[in-house]
Amino acid sequence: MSSLREAQKQLTRDRIVDCALELFTAKGYASTTIDEIASAAGTTRVTFYAYYPSRTDLMKDFMSRVNSVLERAAGPGSTSTAVDLVAVVRVGELPGILAWLESRAALWPVFRPYLDVLDEAAASDPEIRKIMDAWHEEVISDIVTGLQLAGRYTEETRHIRGTLAFTQLDYVATLWTRRKFEPNREHALEVLADSWHHLLCGEA
């Protein structure tokens, strides 16, 4: 009985998240009300708040789903890590980098809509901005860890290299989502992989 109840709760949670994502994408984060989300999910405002006491809690669930899709495992404290990204940077081979980028790009349709909403929400909500900044830093830290394990570059330059690599990837990804512009993905990823290889795996 307990497992059935938990399954029903998860179904309700998923329905609320799916409807919220659809409405946020169509209308915008600030323009979408809790009542609209609850109605679209076939539930009530009271039920919504039972699952998500605040909009911020809903955004935390969005982030949790991004991490789940990307298989970012829980690390020390509240941080998360992607061991495959760490490994790709540590090995530092162009084919491996390209393969990893292609695997992430294949998932863009699944997780980028969540990130796009989170970015929009962060523009008006300082608490969500902190969540997004922390997540960005986690990804950058994975790249830095890969560089550390490889003994590549000085400690002083690893973080900026990781930041530049992440920023490049994030920008290219937005071409398929918020900007609704779709260049040749194969060519774009090849250029991005080449840039990562020079930035993260070239001569010190």
Side-chain angles (χ1 to χ4, degrees):
M1 181 65 73
S2 177
S3 60
L4 177 60
R5 186 160 50 248
E6 288 304 314
Q8 291 172 334
K9 286 183 177 180
Q10 189 58 51
L11 284 173
T12 300
R13 190 181 300 276
D14 290 343
R15 192 163 62 248
I16 290 172
V17 167
D18 290 344
C19 291
L21 179 60
E22 184 176 342
L23 285 167
F24 288 148
T25 300
K27 297 185 57 178
Y29 178 80
S31 299
T32 301
T33 67
I34 299 303
D35 286 332
E36 287 174 325
I37 296 172
S39 177
T43 187
T44 66
R45 183 184 184 90
V46 172
T47 300
F48 176 93
Y49 282 120
Y51 285 87
Y52 300 104
S54 71
R55 280 174 171 255
T56 300
D57 291 304
L58 178 59
M59 292 299 97
K60 287 179 179 178
D61 195 344
F62 273 33
M63 181 56 73
S64 176
R65 289 164 191 256
V66 169
N67 284 333
S68 178
V69 171
L70 295 178
E71 299 180 337
R72 296 188 61 78
S78 60
T79 62
S80 59
T81 186
V83 294
D84 54 347
L85 174 56
V86 174
V88 162
V89 174
R90 177 183 60 78
V91 173
E93 295 179 353
L94 181 57
I97 292 172
L98 179 58
W100 185 87
L101 291 172
E102 289 174 338
S103 72
R104 299 305 91 180
L107 296 172
W108 285 343
V110 181
F111 75 86
R112 285 299 310 190
Y114 290 113
L115 285 181
D116 292 340
V117 171
L118 283 160
D119 276 334
E120 183 184 350
S124 58
D125 188 326
E127 190 170 356
I128 299 173
R129 179 73 268 161
K130 288 180 181 178
I131 292 171
M132 288 299 290
D133 287 345
W135 186 79
H136 292 166
E137 190 57 39
E138 286 175 5
V139 180
I140 293 167
S141 293
D142 286 345
I143 298 173
V144 171
T145 298
L147 293 176
Q148 289 172 333
L149 291 174
R152 208 177 293 130
Y153 306 114
T154 63
E155 190 67 33
E156 291 77 14
T157 67
R158 287 171 184 155
H159 190 272
I160 187 61
R161 288 177 184 277
T163 301
L164 290 171
F166 170 78
T167 302
Q168 290 174 2
L169 173 58
D170 188 58
Y171 178 77
V172 171
T174 63
L175 299 180
W176 277 266
T177 53
R178 287 196 302 272
R179 295 168 186 257
K180 307 299 180 186
F181 173 66
E182 197 166 320
N184 184 297
R185 188 165 77 174
E186 180 182 350
H187 292 168
L189 292 176
E190 287 175 355
V191 172
L192 180 58
D194 188 60
S195 179
W196 270 41
H197 189 246
H198 283 286
L199 181 63
L200 304 174
C201 315
E203 293 289 334

